[in-house]
Structures are given as structure tokens and as C-alpha cells.
Amino acid sequence: MSDVTAVPKQTSRRTVEIELGDRSYPIIIGHGLFDDGFIWSSAGEGDCAAIVTNTTVRPLYAESLAKAISSRFKRVIVIELQDGEVYKDAASLNHIFDRLLTERADRKCVLFALGGGVIGDMTGFAAACYMRGVPFVQIPTTLLAQVDSSVGGKTAINHPLGKNMIGAFYQPRLVVADLDTLSTLPARQFSAGLAEVIKYGPILDLPFFDWIEANIDALISRDPDALGHAIQRCCELKAAVVAKDEQESSVRAVLNFGHTFGHAIETGAGYGVWLHGEAVGCGMVMGADLSMRLGLISEAYAMRLRRLIERAGLPIVGPRLGADRYVELMGHDKKSEGGEIRFVLIHDDGHASIRTAPGAIVRQVIEANC
Ligand code: NAD
Ligand code: GLY
């Protein structure tokens, strides 16, 4: 096995720094982190901590987390939300505010987001708004959240007209990615996380793409070395992008590869029917097809990416919503400018660009892949 494809043997703790001046913070990746008193020192201390979680994750991990942070806070309250993308809405957000106000949580109260990307995005947005901003900590418990959503400060809720349309850029104080939590993650959710892992290869790091291809079976079987390496590499790649362009005025948009088609799939099928990672995986198949039709990548490269997404256990054919509906939904994408849809396109040399595409070709892509 070559150096590029070898799994680095390192099961110990890994740390990746997000460099944003006085808002910099570490992402700590490893096993048994809940039991390590030291790492929680940067989470803060004071009168009140609020763990925001959901009905699925609470019975699994809320008690251990409460125990881990109890010596730092006079009281730890747990705010439980319904589980699901369909609850990533204004009503759930308001429930967080209701509880914080009822508990008389002050502006030093630290919110702990314990769960996947849905909980992380909502808790971050609640932290950005409550009393005009309170600190928060991300404790991602899905693969998708560990490699993407907990890092970089994008927070949001959905609107019936579009995914993540109401939100803020608001950075956490600390991210704690405990690999042990992935042991309870259902296989379908794990595959959804692999979509975001795969995403980083074609847009930023072709050797990492090769590595994922060579190690996809180890990743699917949740080999700790392979997982630790993949999560660390994804966080490093994302950290570099976020440090350059925190608020997505330029280069950060490449992290949305697959998302223009993917968000249309998620919204069009109905929130929660397609998992976010599934929609992104299928969206990347469509994004690669569009890149190929525009002459940016070879057919062989597009097929290679498609095969890897399929091997990760992800769907590669989108729902038949009709081209008109796709185009209508994609018009709501946050990258649209002056009513024109902009796509993240990939190139043979391993970089990505953002541009418009002729409507007729976009429709061909939809017809060929849905
Ligand atoms: P999710 O939060 O819905 O979690 C998936 C499912 O797994 C849920 O049912 C959850 O309760 C359950 N779960 C979580 N941890 C578990 C565990 N350890 N064991 C067993 N079950 C567990 O979905 P997700 O895929 O984590 O996140 C998707 C969301 O993230 C979407 O809303 C998407 O828009 C958002 N997102 C945000 C960013 C960002 O930069 N902020 C990036 C990517 C995705
Ligand atoms: N998930 C895309 C981003 O964080 O910018």
C-alpha cells in the first residue's frame, strides 16, 4: 500500500485549530473524551449550562455529558427537542428560548449542542440570538456533524421555502468530537456522513480522494484509525477554508459542492425523507455530471466519483420531481445572484469553481440523473 492510501495508525487524541483571531477555537477528536475533565476547561464555567439535545440522543449521552461538565457549572439543564430535520424550525428554536427564559438563564449561560447537525445548527442559532449572543460548544454525535456541520460557525433553521434560510454565522467556543458516540449511529446515518467526507476530495484534496477510495471499506466498518484520520483531514481542510473566508464571500462556497441539487432534493422530497447527506451525495453525482457536460472533467472521473458515492451506501439517482420543480427550488439557493443559479463545479486537477450554467444543460443533468 502506498503512503497516500495507508491508514495512519494513531488512535490517540487529535486537535485541529480553527484560526479566527480572538474567536479561534479547537476541535478535539478522539475516544473517551466525555471522561476527560481537562478538555472541558475551555468550555467555560459559571451559573448555568444548557445541554440542547433530542429525544434520541438524550438517553444515550446527555447524562455522561452532564456529569463531565457538572463541576464547572452550578446547574446543568437539559433542553430536549423532537428528533428530525422536520423539527429544524422556528417552533423548536422558540422552545429553546422558552426554556432558557423560564430557567432565568443569563447571558453567561453556555449552550452545549449534543447531537447531529440539526441540533448543532439550531443550538448555534439559538446561542447567536439569545440575549444577543451567549457562548456555545458543539458536541457532534454523527459523522456528518463531526466532519462538517459542527465546524465553521454556520447556524440556521429551515423555512418551508428553503433549507437553512434563516440563520447566522456564529462560532462555537469549542468542538468535542468523541468517536465513541459513532458506535450507536445507524448505518444509513453513517453513510450520509460519508457523503460529506467524500465531498472534500474533489473540491480540495485529490490525494485524500484517492485515500477515501482505497479505504472506503475500512470507513464503512468504522475502523477507528481510518475514521480518526478521515475526520481530522476533513476538519483540517474545512479549517483552512473557514480561516480564509468565514462568511462565504468567496472560497467557502466550494464546500457547497453537491448542495445546489441536494437542497432541491431535500426540500422537494419533503424535509426528512431524504437525509441531508444522501441528498448531498446524489447532488455531487449531478454536480459531477454537470462539470463533465461543461468540459471541466473527464467522463472517467465523473464515473469514479459516482462509484465511490454508491460504494458508500448512498443513493445515486434523484427523486423525479420534474426539471421545472428542480429549477424552481434551486432558484432559492443562497448562492443565487440576481435570480441566476450558481453551481459548484469540479475540475480534473482537484479544485472547484462557482459559476452559472446554461439552463438547457442543467435540465439534461436533471433528466439523466433523476
Ligand atoms: P441529524 O442531526 O438529523 O442526525 C441524524 C440522526 O441521527 C437523528 O435521528 C439523530 O437523532 C441521530 N443521532 C445523532 N447522533 C446519534 C448517535 N450518536 N447515535 C444514534 N443516533 C444518533 O442529521 P445530521 O446528518 O447529523 O445533520 C444534518 C443537518 O446538518 C442538516 O440540517 C444540514 O442542513 C446540517 N448541516 C449543516 C452544516 C453547517 O455547516 N452548519 C453542514 C452540513 C450539514
Ligand atoms: N457545509 C458548508 C459550509 O460550512 O460552508
Side-chain angles (χ1 to χ4, degrees), residues 54 83 85 88 117-118 121 141-142 149 154 163 181 184 189:
N54 69 24
D83 183 5
E85 185 73 38
K88 188 180 171 181
V118 169
D121 280 14
T141 61
T142 62
S149 64
K154 274 191 182 175
K163 273 277 297 171
T181 61
T184 52
Q189 298 290 350

Side-chain angles (χ1 to χ4, degrees), residues 28-320:
I28 302 171
I29 303 157
H31 293 273
L33 301 180
F34 284 22
D35 299 328
D36 182 336
F38 182 72
I39 62 163
W40 300 104
S41 56
S42 47
E45 57 191 352
D47 172 59
C48 171
I51 298 174
V52 182
T53 187
N54 69 24
T55 47
T56 304
V57 179
R58 181 182 189 166
L60 296 170
Y61 303 111
E63 199 180 323
S64 328
L65 176 61
K67 198 170 148 214
I69 60 175
S70 61
S71 63
R72 312 196 59 80
F73 296 92
K74 280 192 200 138
R75 59 199 174 113
V76 177
I77 62 173
V78 178
I79 302 177
E80 182 182 285
L81 305 177
Q82 294 301 309
D83 183 5
E85 185 73 38
V86 75
Y87 295 105
K88 188 180 171 181
D89 62 3
S92 298
L93 185 70
N94 214 36
H95 178 69
I96 301 175
F97 297 144
D98 287 348
R99 273 298 304 281
L100 291 172
L101 288 165
T102 309
E103 298 282 349
R104 296 182 182 278
D106 64 21
R107 59 177 14 156
K108 289 196 173 148
C109 181
V110 182
L111 306 194
F112 288 76
L114 176 69
V118 169
I119 286 292
D121 280 14
M122 279 200 290
T123 308
F125 190 37
C129 301
Y130 186 69
M131 296 200 174
R132 301 199 181 92
V134 294
F136 88 111
V137 173
Q138 288 272 18
I139 300 134
T141 61
T142 62
L143 178 59
L144 184 142
Q146 295 189 352
V147 298
D148 194 354
S149 64
S150 66
V151 174
K154 274 191 182 175
T155 75
I157 56 170
N158 297 330
H159 186 279
L161 288 179
K163 273 277 297 171
N164 296 331
M165 282 295 156
I166 318 293
F169 287 97
Y170 193 68
Q171 301 294 340
R173 186 178 259 193
L174 167 72
V175 180
V176 178
D178 192 325
L179 302 178
D180 292 344
T181 61
L182 300 182
S183 64
T184 52
L185 195 64
R188 185 180 169 200
Q189 298 290 350
F190 191 83
S191 284
L194 285 175
E196 300 277 15
V197 173
I198 292 168
K199 173 188 82 177
Y200 288 99
I203 58 168
L204 290 167
D205 186 351
L206 276 188
F208 184 50
F209 183 28
D210 296 339
W211 182 89
I212 299 167
E213 221 174 21
N215 290 283
I216 189 71
D217 294 334
L219 287 169
I220 289 170
S221 64
R222 307 187 197 191
D223 172 85
D225 291 316
L227 259 184
H229 174 68
I231 294 167
Q232 177 181 4
R233 188 68 195 132
C234 294
C235 289
E236 285 167 353
L237 290 165
K238 184 156 185 183
V241 170
V242 170
K244 273 192 218 142
D245 177 27
E246 182 186 5
Q247 302 217 348
E248 201 172 302
S249 20
S250 57
V251 65
R252 183 164 179 171
V254 302
L255 297 175
N256 293 320
F257 176 47
H259 286 59
T260 309
F261 291 111
H263 282 171
I265 292 174
E266 260 190 287
T267 309
Y271 294 134
V273 176
W274 276 62
L275 302 181
H276 175 74
E278 291 173 338
V280 168
C282 191
M284 288 193 291
V285 172
M286 296 169 83
D289 189 12
L290 181 58
S291 305
M292 184 194 77
R293 287 171 196 261
L294 293 172
L296 305 177
I297 62 170
S298 65
E299 186 174 3
Y301 183 18
M303 288 311 295
R304 207 181 137 200
L305 180 57
R306 183 188 167 95
R307 262 196 309 276
L308 181 58
I309 291 166
E310 193 171 24
R311 281 179 69 202
L314 291 158
I316 51 167
V317 177
R320 284 200 75 78

